[in-house]
Amino acid sequence: MKRRNLIAYGFALTPLAALLSACAEEGHWPDGMAPIKWDRDVCTRCKMAISDRRFTSQIRGGSNNLAFKFDDIGCATTWRSEKLKEYPWLTDAATRFWVADFSGKGERWLNARSAHYLSGKTSPMGYNYAAFGEPLTDSIGFESMCQKTSGMLPADCLSESVDSRSRTANAPQ
């Protein structure tokens, strides 16, 4: 009798357990994006907890479909530049690169390469660029944002088209 009750209760509670586990993944993720566990996942580059949903970004790709999460778009673009030799797939068109839409408070995601960036927003690591889906007054494109952030911190997120000699010459000392 006890065994029967245990099995019956187990089947009865299965739908409830499924509902509760679905609630654990907060957020609306684009197809292919790895869910971010707010305040638990850490930035791949700076190791800070990812908590400010307005500046979060993620890069995903390669043969193993690796996902790298970042707390600031500046960390993502800098890490991308630093890791091009280790992960050559970062330049592939198939590599996905998302950034949170600042106006969506982390509920909407943009293609980072086609987003528009506005400076003057206080971001977690001080790169201070926020992403928007539409062009705004004084907003800049992805490559321009990379060039500007490379001079702000010991970072180098210049375009792949720039040769390594000029990257070294432009790197902060």
Side-chain angles (χ1 to χ4, degrees):
M1 179 92 163
K2 290 181 185 178
R3 184 174 179 208
R4 237 183 240 171
N5 287 343
L6 183 62
I7 291 171
Y9 288 130
F11 283 120
L13 294 176
T14 299
L16 178 62
L19 284 173
L20 290 175
S21 67
C23 293
E25 289 187 18
E26 267 181 61
H28 307 285
W29 314 110
D31 187 36
M33 186 174 182
I36 295 170
K37 295 176 185 116
W38 304 109
D39 300 312
R40 285 181 276 160
D41 283 341
V42 296
C43 177
T44 298
R45 184 165 193 275
C46 71
K47 307 302 181 216
M48 189 168 124
I50 300 173
S51 57
D52 193 335
R53 299 168 190 231
R54 302 169 303 159
F55 297 98
T56 306
S57 61
Q58 186 177 127
I59 300 173
R60 189 160 198 180
S63 59
N64 294 330
N65 202 29
L66 298 173
F68 298 96
K69 302 170 186 180
F70 303 91
D71 66 334
D72 192 313
I73 187 63
C75 281
T77 56
T78 299
W79 178 88
R80 176 178 158 262
S81 177
E82 293 168 347
K83 299 296 182 177
L84 283 174
K85 287 183 182 174
E86 188 176 344
Y87 302 109
W89 52 263
L90 286 169
T91 59
D92 293 348
T95 299
R96 292 161 293 177
F97 195 161
W98 296 280
V99 64
D101 183 340
F102 184 81
S103 60
K105 296 181 172 65
E107 295 296 319
R108 292 192 301 261
W109 298 92
L110 307 169
N111 176 337
R113 293 181 193 99
S114 60
H116 304 273
Y117 297 90
L118 191 61
S119 68
K121 307 295 182 186
T122 305
S123 68
M125 289 307 296
Y127 289 93
N128 299 334
Y129 278 91
F132 295 88
E134 300 296 323
L136 301 170
T137 303
D138 297 328
S139 65
I140 59 175
F142 180 75
E143 291 298 328
S144 294
M145 183 268 303
C146 284
Q147 290 174 354
K148 290 181 183 294
T149 57
S150 69
M152 292 169 60
L153 295 171
D156 178 14
C157 60
L158 297 176
S159 171
E160 296 85 30
S161 62
V162 178
D163 72 359
S164 61
R165 286 179 309 215
S166 65
R167 286 184 186 177
T168 304
N170 291 331
Q173 300 298 330

